[in-house]
Amino acid sequence: MSDANLGGSMPLESALIEQIRMGDWSPNVNDKLTQALLVRTGAEVQLCSQILLSICTVDSNRRAPDSEAFGLGVSQWIEHCVKAIENTNHSSEGGHTDHDLLRSRLAAAFAETVWTLGVEWEPDTADGSDDRWRDEQLQHVEQSKVLLQMTKALIANGVISQDLANERLDPDFLEQLGTIKSASLFSKRCIRLNTALNFKQTKFNLISEQSEGFSKLVTLVQATMAAIVPHQMSNDILRAVADHPGAESHGSVVIHALRSLGDLQQRVRCLLVDINRLIGVFNLDPNRVLDIILDCFMSS
């Protein structure tokens, strides 16, 4: 994503940007920014991108922006937007309808813009011997320093909360901000937490932990076994063994005969479906389920 595209197709007036760089957050500036914000739903992303991109652009002919004044000015502008919504009927026309929602959207827009610019201006260390992009890399380093100071001011003035910064920003950038001690340890902790929340399965291995699930499992297996008439199954097996051409291999023939019993196979398929449902509903340990099934067969 290029810097030009990041700013969007409707850039702010250069005079307005210069006022913001000089720390001039007068009512006139706030009115213009608020009007640009409320022109349509979702305009906060484009507006925040234009503001931060213009503020962080390094220019030797202009004075570096004051980060403290910038953070305080953005905070006051957000409150100005809230008051402007209260005094207009914009909310009834499909725009922002909730003050907290407006604040959260602006905070998210600033956080996403900081992340995007941080990635855009991240130093490229792929080939340190290539001097073709040395000037551009130096410019990106200077812009990253300005972005770092602006982000500190936004966090200090409550525009971006600490939790939102930890959620959206890059760990290396957070380490430079001083909000975390180590980017590597923070990344490892996030990976462990994500694994525990989304990929680690809680399974009950002991009957005392999930007595209802295991009791239903035993009842299901015993009821299915009781529904099969033993002597009828034995007769069917003996008949299949006698009719099978390879009767000398007794063990394989018995297995083949069991597989050929249509009613038995149907019962087994239904039993497996019900067992899978019990495992899913009660979070049963599959290894413990298999152990209980074998115990049921041994006791019958």
Side-chain angles (χ1 to χ4, degrees), residues 48-56 70 110 113-114 117 150:
C48 294
S49 300
Q50 293 173 13
I51 292 175
L52 271 179
L53 180 61
S54 302
I55 289 295
C56 296
F70 174 76
F110 274 112
T113 303
V114 169
L117 291 177
M150 298 302 159

Side-chain angles (χ1 to χ4, degrees), residues 143-206:
Q143 290 174 330
S144 298
K145 293 179 180 178
V146 177
L147 179 64
L148 187 66
Q149 297 300 322
M150 298 302 159
T151 307
K152 288 182 178 180
L154 291 175
I155 295 176
N157 287 274
V159 177
I160 301 177
S161 65
Q162 186 62 61
D163 292 338
L164 182 62
N166 292 339
E167 177 186 346
R168 303 291 179 89
L169 301 184
D170 188 76
D172 292 330
F173 193 81
L174 291 174
E175 185 177 0
Q176 296 178 23
L177 285 174
T179 57
I180 61 175
K181 295 182 179 180
S182 173
S184 58
L185 294 179
F186 182 80
S187 299
K188 291 180 181 179
R189 184 177 180 183
C190 289
I191 293 174
R192 294 195 195 101
L193 183 60
N194 183 57
T195 302
L197 292 177
N198 299 318
F199 299 101
K200 187 176 181 180
Q201 180 182 2
T202 302
K203 298 183 296 184
F204 296 101
N205 185 44
L206 302 178

Side-chain angles (χ1 to χ4, degrees), residues 17-18 20-23 52 54-59 62-70 146-147 149-150:
I17 292 297
E18 188 62 28
I20 295 176
R21 287 182 61 91
M22 298 297 294
L52 271 179
S54 302
I55 289 295
C56 296
T57 300
V58 177
D59 190 349
R62 294 189 299 179
R63 190 186 69 177
D66 187 354
S67 59
E68 295 182 2
F70 174 76
V146 177
L147 179 64
Q149 297 300 322
M150 298 302 159

Side-chain angles (χ1 to χ4, degrees), residues 3-17 32-33 36 40 46-51 53-54:
D3 293 353
N5 292 333
L6 185 62
S9 58
M10 298 175 59
L12 296 172
E13 298 177 0
S14 58
L16 182 62
I17 292 297
K32 291 183 178 180
L33 290 177
R40 61 182 174 85
Q46 179 181 352
L47 184 61
C48 294
S49 300
Q50 293 173 13
I51 292 175
L53 180 61
S54 302

Side-chain angles (χ1 to χ4, degrees), residues 72-91:
L72 182 60
V74 171
S75 177
Q76 293 175 351
W77 165 59
I78 293 177
E79 296 303 321
H80 182 81
C81 293
V82 172
K83 294 180 180 179
I85 293 177
E86 294 176 351
N87 298 328
T88 62
N89 296 325
H90 182 77
S91 60

